Amino acid sequence: MKNLSNAAKAAMQKAYAPYSNYSVGAAVRGSNGEVYSGCNVENAAYPLGNCAETSAIAAMIAGGEREIAEVFIMTKGAKPGTPCGGCRQRLAEFASADVLVHCALEGGEVNTYTMGELLPHAFDLKEQ
Ligand code: THU
């Protein structure tokens, strides 16, 4: 898990978050073993900003992987941040319900959830 947490930390340190001042780093391990990371990228037109998880998923897809095996998200603040609702759905597109999502503070507390805990009853077009 160390390489995943290091990748999330490095991405968090590169976040572009001048409006919220809340830097987030995300790293996903693909089923191929490769680690892909991303950070939040804000914009003066606030709704155009991207979450860190979205950036990490984009890096994974561009790298040719389509299956997430593990997720690590790093934030600052008083307690580890959890993925927003939209990012839960984005992660669920590529991660099965048993995939572990580690939410951590830099150098501290780590809370681990499964995808199924974070997004029960995820929308899946195949099941409609
Ligand atoms: N943010 C993420 O990067 N991931 C989340 O799951 C929650 C929120 C970012 C978006 C914005 O740049 C900042 O955190 C404050 O909302």
Side-chain angles (χ1 to χ4, degrees), residues 16-17 20-26 39-43 49-54 73 75 81-85 87-88:
Y16 177 71
S20 71
N21 240 326
Y22 187 73
S23 297
V24 185
C39 57
N40 52 335
V41 183
E42 297 186 347
N43 192 278
N50 279 345
C51 283
E53 298 87 332
T54 304
I73 296 160
T75 59
T82 54
C84 74
C87 284
R88 293 178 197 207

Side-chain angles (χ1 to χ4, degrees), residues 8-127:
K9 183 173 177 179
M12 181 185 73
Q13 288 166 344
K14 293 184 183 132
Y16 177 71
Y19 304 104
S20 71
N21 240 326
Y22 187 73
S23 297
V24 185
V28 297
R29 187 196 319 285
S31 292
N32 60 3
E34 292 287 316
V35 171
Y36 306 92
S37 61
C39 57
N40 52 335
V41 183
E42 297 186 347
N43 192 278
Y46 293 177
L48 297 181
N50 279 345
C51 283
E53 298 87 332
T54 304
S55 304
I57 289 168
M60 180 190 82
I61 294 300
E65 174 59 272
R66 294 192 168 182
E67 198 173 271
I68 295 176
E70 196 171 5
V71 182
F72 201 104
I73 296 160
M74 192 171 289
T75 59
K76 297 186 179 180
K79 62 182 184 110
T82 54
C84 74
C87 284
R88 293 178 197 207
Q89 182 69 37
R90 290 189 184 97
L91 288 166
E93 182 76 17
F94 305 104
S96 55
D98 60 345
V99 164
L100 296 181
V101 180
H102 310 286
C103 301
L105 282 181
E106 192 178 11
E109 191 183 345
V110 184
N111 295 328
T112 298
Y113 311 92
T114 63
M115 249 339 283
E117 284 173 328
L118 288 176
L119 188 62
H121 314 292
F123 177 72
D124 184 343
L125 194 55
K126 294 187 293 297
E127 288 173 13

